[in-house]
């Protein structure tokens, strides 16, 4: 075999083997003994309720449940760029779920990304955020999961390519990119800010979607909340680089995170709709307000307040711009298919001039919104039909070009028809 490889390959393979042996030795974690399934009534009801809120804020169900499948049975495939990782069964079935995990085993998984049997877990599971949880919150989550109905459903093996499928190598990844440890507050900040920071950085893992990742899949420490692509959507920047024409004040953020709509911004769609309507929905108002406090403090909105009236005036001036443009490409299509709903003589948002779907650096969210619509599924709230079947890629591209041009001063988006085709081929998934 060796004779068939050139010296460089031999060196590379030797190095990899040394690395593997090193990681294997350093990363060896003992198994934690299995326990007998616990009686459901052995948990304090208040703890179980607290766990339910946390599980909701942590979006555990979105990742650990397949469409139409039993809650927490696992099996949802997450594309990592290195292959697909499947979420696991976290119901209390002792054979196929985590029913024989003790609380310390569960806590180690949440805090260090190590399974009960000592296997290294992959960061598609956001333990990198859950590590910040308090002991009480981890205990509450444990109580919640141990009191769910057991689901008998075997885990699916990942399809990661070599060497990414060698779990011992996760030790190297963790050494480079993972900071274990509880949340530490900033003593210069008030209690509301701290609570918001604790929720955002820990259980709600906002950064998992809103912070760009490096080539090894780790959130970039140098670009917190700088915005990131996600399953064909764009999770916009939540820091000072946010592209919304109007600043996101604490009050705006609160309304958006609580109701899924903000008058001066728009509606939560795609993966963010799940975050609001399923994730944060169970949190008390005080927690949602705390999240708003935390993000409003970090996005420079206070400094932008002075310019806000001018920004609003500009947006308002862009709401009645379609008359007389009938010959421009896209204008007629807009008037025929969209303007019945998106024509508002009094509001700027209705005519799309306040939406980040049109002011972001890329057109992903505009395209996704038009293809998939907004709301629906019988849920209350705003509704826009999906146009995937009614409009061609060129139609959607024309609309994107026309609205970007008439609703903002920003440069035209390049290669729009290709961008629409690419979005159409991306299936929607909600991590
Ligand atoms: C973004 C998707 C995502 C979210 C959100 C998520 N998980 Fe997971 N989780 C995963 C994936 C994927 C794995 C499997 C990782 C692997 O195979 O290494 C996993 C593994 C686990 C494991 C290890 C189970 C085992 O059998 O090894 C536990 C425990 C767990 N998750 C609990 C939770 C809890 C509790 C929450 C909510 C607070 C949660 N997860 C939220 C994706 C997610
Ligand atoms: C039946 C009414 C209706 C029609 C027709 C309609 N929309 Fe919408 N649209 C809505 C509602 C309601 C919302 C959510 C509320 C909002 O954000 O204004 C929305 C939201 C949007 C958004 C996201 C704005 C944001 O950030 O919240 C975009 C972009 C959009 N529509 C574009 C279009 C385009 C382009 C067309 C034509 C192809 C169209 N809409 C047709 C009702 C409609
Ligand atoms: C599962 C991925 C995901 C998670 C987790 C997530 N977001 Fe989002 N978020 C998105 C996407 C995608 C959008 C764009 C969709 C849209 O505009 O409707 C978005 C949009 C937003 C917006 C609107 C920004 C703008 O200017 O248009 C805000 C504000 C926001 N998210 C805040 C948060 C906060 C706070 C958290 C944590 C509590 C969070 N998000 C967690 C994916 C996510």
């Amino acid at each position: 075999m060796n004779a068939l490889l050139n010296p460089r390959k031999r060196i590379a393979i030797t190095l990899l083997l040394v690395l593997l042996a090193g990681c294997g030795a350093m990363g060896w974690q003992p198994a934690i003994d299995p326990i007998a399934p616990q009686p459901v009534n052995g948990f304090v009801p208040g703890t179980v309720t607290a766990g339910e809120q946390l599980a909701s804020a942590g979006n555990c169900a979105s990742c650990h449940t397949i469409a139409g499948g039993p809650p927490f049975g696992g099996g949802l495939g997450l594309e990592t760029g290195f292959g697909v990782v499947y979420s696991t069964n976290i119901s209390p079935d002792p054979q196929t779920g985590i029913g024989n995990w003790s609380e310390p085993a569960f806590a180690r998984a949440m805090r260090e990304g190590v399974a009960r049997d000592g296997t290294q877990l992959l960061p598609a599971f956001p333990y990198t955020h859950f590590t910040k949880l308090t002991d009480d919150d981890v205990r509450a989550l444990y109580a919640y999961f141990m009191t769910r109905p057991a689901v008998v459903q075997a885990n699916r093996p990942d399809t990661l390519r070599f060497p990414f499928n060698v779990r011992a190598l996760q030790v190297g990844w963790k050494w480079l990119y993972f900071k274990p440890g509880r949340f530490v507050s900033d003593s210069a900040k008030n209690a509301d800010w701290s609570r918001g920071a604790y929720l955002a950085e820990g259980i709600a893992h906002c950064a998992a979607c809103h912070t760009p990742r490096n080539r090894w899949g780790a959130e970039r420490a140098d670009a917190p909340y700088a915005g990131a692509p996600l399953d064909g959507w764009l999770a916009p920047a939540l820091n000072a680089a946010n592209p919304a024409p109007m600043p996101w004040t604490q009050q705006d953020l609160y309304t958006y995170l609580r109701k899924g709509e903000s008058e001066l911004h728009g509606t939560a769609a795609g993966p963010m709709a799940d975050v609001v309507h399923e994730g944060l929905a169970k949190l008390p108002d005080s927690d949602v307000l705390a999240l708003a406090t935390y993000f409003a403090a970090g996005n420079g909105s206070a400094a932008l307040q002075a310019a806000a009236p001018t920004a609003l005036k500009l947006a308002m001036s862009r709401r009645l711009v379609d008359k007389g443009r009938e010959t421009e490409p896209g204008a007629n299509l807009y008037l025929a298919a969209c303007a019945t709903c998106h024509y508002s003589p009094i509001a700027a948002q209705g005519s799309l001039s306040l939406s980040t779907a049109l002011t972001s650096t890329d057109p992903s969210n505009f395209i996704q919104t038009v293809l998939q619509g907004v709301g629906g599924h019988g849920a209350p709230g705003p509704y826009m039909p999906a146009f995937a079947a009614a409009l061609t890629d060129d139609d959607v591209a024309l609309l994107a070009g026309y609205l970007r041009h008439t609703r903002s001063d920003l440069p035209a988006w390049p290669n729009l028809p290709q961008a629409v085709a690419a979005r159409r081929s991306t299936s929607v998934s909600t991590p």
Side-chain angles (χ1 to χ4, degrees):
M1 163 84 178
N2 269 1
L4 296 175
L5 295 173
N6 67 32
R8 268 164 127 202
K9 277 200 179 140
R10 270 213 302 261
I11 292 170
I13 286 179
T14 313
L15 278 175
L16 190 64
L17 288 174
V18 171
L19 191 69
L20 276 176
C23 283
M26 279 189 334
W28 183 82
Q29 293 273 355
I32 295 178
D33 287 342
I35 57 166
Q38 313 211 49
V40 171
N41 57 10
F43 296 95
V44 185
T47 313
V48 176
T49 320
E52 182 182 11
Q53 264 184 21
L54 288 158
S56 167
N59 288 108
C60 317
S62 316
C63 278
H64 283 275
T65 310
I66 48 171
F72 307 119
L76 185 77
L78 299 171
E79 179 52 63
T80 61
F82 309 105
V84 178
V85 184
Y86 293 91
S87 65
T88 50
N89 182 339
I90 53 169
S91 81
D93 179 57
Q95 264 80 45
T96 60
I98 59 169
N100 65 4
W101 289 34
S102 60
E103 193 188 308
F106 179 78
R108 183 174 71 172
M110 296 295 282
R111 292 239 163 77
E112 295 166 45
V114 177
R116 186 195 64 74
D117 66 3
T119 307
Q120 293 289 336
L121 295 166
L122 301 158
F125 165 41
Y127 69 85
T128 47
H129 291 278
F130 300 152
T131 189
K132 306 215 162 157
L133 295 178
T134 62
D135 290 347
D136 280 353
D137 282 356
V138 171
R139 185 163 308 125
L141 279 165
Y142 181 70
Y144 176 70
F145 282 102
M146 289 302 134
T147 51
R148 293 311 91 202
V151 177
V152 182
Q153 183 170 297
N155 289 332
R156 290 181 68 169
D158 65 63
T159 63
L160 297 184
R161 294 183 300 276
F162 181 79
F164 305 102
N165 58 351
V166 180
R167 294 210 169 217
L169 284 177
Q170 283 303 312
V171 176
W173 189 94
K174 285 178 174 174
W175 184 70
L176 287 169
Y177 302 122
F178 173 48
K179 270 205 218 95
R182 312 283 197 278
F183 174 74
V184 184
S185 185
D186 178 341
S187 57
K189 301 291 199 317
N190 67 19
D192 204 28
W193 184 95
S194 296
R195 177 72 186 157
Y198 171 71
L199 292 167
E201 291 174 20
I203 192 72
H205 59 277
C206 312
C209 295
H210 285 274
T211 295
R213 292 174 189 264
N214 68 16
R215 59 185 301 210
W216 304 114
E219 285 165 28
R220 282 176 44 196
D222 63 335
Y225 301 114
L230 171 93
D231 291 335
W233 290 81
L234 181 77
L238 299 179
N239 58 17
N242 179 272
M246 295 299 287
W248 277 103
T249 63
Q250 185 219 28
Q251 187 55 44
D252 292 339
L253 282 163
Y254 170 73
T255 315
Y256 179 88
L257 295 172
R258 184 79 296 180
K259 304 206 176 107
E261 300 172 62
S262 153
E263 206 191 336
L264 295 179
H265 295 89
T267 306
M272 194 60 202
D274 284 354
V275 171
V276 171
H277 300 295
E278 281 157 40
L280 306 178
K282 290 214 168 83
L283 291 182
D285 287 347
S286 56
D287 277 352
V288 177
L289 201 59
L291 279 166
T293 303
Y294 173 63
F295 283 102
N299 68 9
S301 56
L304 294 170
Q305 266 324 315
T310 317
L312 186 60
K313 224 168 159 186
L314 186 62
M316 291 291 278
S317 73
R318 293 196 172 119
R319 75 199 187 284
L320 301 171
V321 293
D322 306 305
K323 276 224 168 71
R325 290 183 189 266
E326 287 80 355
T327 53
E328 281 185 34
N332 267 335
L333 196 50
Y334 178 73
L335 290 169
C338 323
T340 30
C341 296
H342 287 291
Y343 168 84
S344 170
I346 45 159
Q349 172 50 22
S351 39
L352 299 172
S353 46
L354 289 171
S355 174
T356 54
L358 287 169
T359 57
S360 289
T361 45
D362 87 51
S364 301
N365 292 356
F366 177 84
I367 297 169
Q368 295 282 32
T369 309
V370 175
L371 293 179
Q372 297 179 26
V374 175
H377 318 293
Y383 172 74
M384 163 171 153
F387 284 93
L391 298 176
T392 64
D393 290 359
D394 285 340
D395 291 339
V396 180
L398 277 179
L399 284 166
Y402 173 72
L403 289 167
R404 171 91 163 171
H405 165 61
T406 51
R407 268 67 178 170
S408 82
D409 291 329
L410 295 159
W413 284 313
N415 307 327
L416 276 168
Q418 290 87 328
V420 183
R423 293 292 80 88
R424 249 191 228 274
S425 63
T426 324
S427 63
V428 194
S429 79
T430 47

